[in-house]
Amino acid sequence: DPVCQESIYKKTVQDISDVGFCTIKNLYEIHGEETDALTTLDADGIMLHRHPFIADRPGMDHTDTPGVAYVIREHKPCISEVFYNNLGNPAISISEPVFYKNEFTGVARWMMQLDTVYKRFLQPIKAGEKGSSWILDDRGIIVAHDDSEALCKNFLALKRQKSPDHDWSALELSLIH
């Protein structure tokens, strides 16, 4: 959104007074059920805007927040590894570089809890009477599964624990590639 790009470039908080609406707030209202927070950060990782708003967050340094340092350094999108949010719930974030007139100016970040990922993408899948589906990250860690106890654990390690005598080498190879 050009208004959002310009507000990040100018390091101003986008609000209703600028254009009659707030793009970040509108996006949150559309996707609020599947979103914990939407934030904008400047090119140094300093939070400019957050929705829903929390008073002590704007102005905070978020360079150590999962995925943010990568986007600042590489100017490429990043889906973070699993982390625990301020409420202690496992979550991921999707961070996108923001450019204004071809200049990197900041980051737009979307954060959601892992149970939201499960409800949105896996719960609708029917895998037989007893089957289940899962989403793994690049390291083989379970990001979404119908068993919340399995979240944030290594998929292959759980399989080996459940069936230690089984040859898991083929699955191991598929997870590596």
Side-chain angles (χ1 to χ4, degrees):
D1 176 67
V3 173
C4 189
Q5 289 172 320
E6 186 174 359
S7 69
I8 294 171
Y9 174 76
K10 291 180 177 180
K11 297 184 180 189
T12 59
V13 175
Q14 183 185 0
D15 63 14
I16 294 172
S17 63
D18 292 341
V19 291
F21 66 93
C22 173
T23 305
I24 300 297
K25 181 180 178 185
N26 284 357
L27 186 61
Y28 184 84
E29 287 176 2
I30 293 167
H31 296 285
E33 287 184 24
E34 56 209 32
T35 304
D36 290 334
L38 295 171
T39 57
T40 57
L41 312 171
D42 69 13
D44 297 318
I46 304 302
M47 184 183 288
L48 299 171
H49 187 81
R50 182 187 195 279
H51 200 82
F53 180 77
I54 297 178
D56 65 344
R57 301 294 167 83
M60 289 179 64
D61 183 346
H62 282 259
T63 52
D64 64 344
T65 304
V68 171
Y70 174 85
V71 176
I72 291 171
R73 184 178 62 252
E74 302 294 329
H75 302 172
K76 294 180 181 176
C78 179
I79 299 174
S80 75
E81 293 181 351
V82 174
F83 62 93
Y84 289 87
N85 65 14
N86 290 336
L87 300 174
N89 299 317
I92 60 168
S93 66
I94 302 166
S95 300
E96 284 279 338
V98 176
F99 296 89
Y100 181 74
K101 297 183 179 179
N102 297 320
E103 177 185 340
F104 174 73
T105 189
V107 179
R109 184 170 179 261
W110 184 314
M111 185 178 65
M112 65 181 72
Q113 295 183 82
L114 294 188
D115 69 333
T116 302
V117 175
Y118 168 74
K119 289 174 187 171
R120 178 79 166 96
F121 298 106
L122 289 185
Q123 194 172 35
I125 297 173
K126 302 299 177 207
E129 288 184 37
K130 295 183 181 182
S132 62
S133 301
W134 51 84
I135 296 175
L136 308 176
D137 71 6
D138 291 343
R139 300 172 300 139
I141 303 300
I142 299 170
V143 175
H145 194 280
D146 63 345
D147 177 6
S148 61
E149 295 294 317
L151 291 178
C152 302
K153 294 183 179 163
N154 183 283
F155 177 78
L156 194 54
L158 288 177
K159 289 296 185 185
R160 284 186 176 135
Q161 181 182 9
K162 186 175 180 179
S163 302
D165 296 331
H166 185 77
D167 177 10
W168 294 105
S169 59
L171 181 59
E172 188 174 60
L173 284 173
S174 69
L175 290 175
I176 294 171
H177 299 290

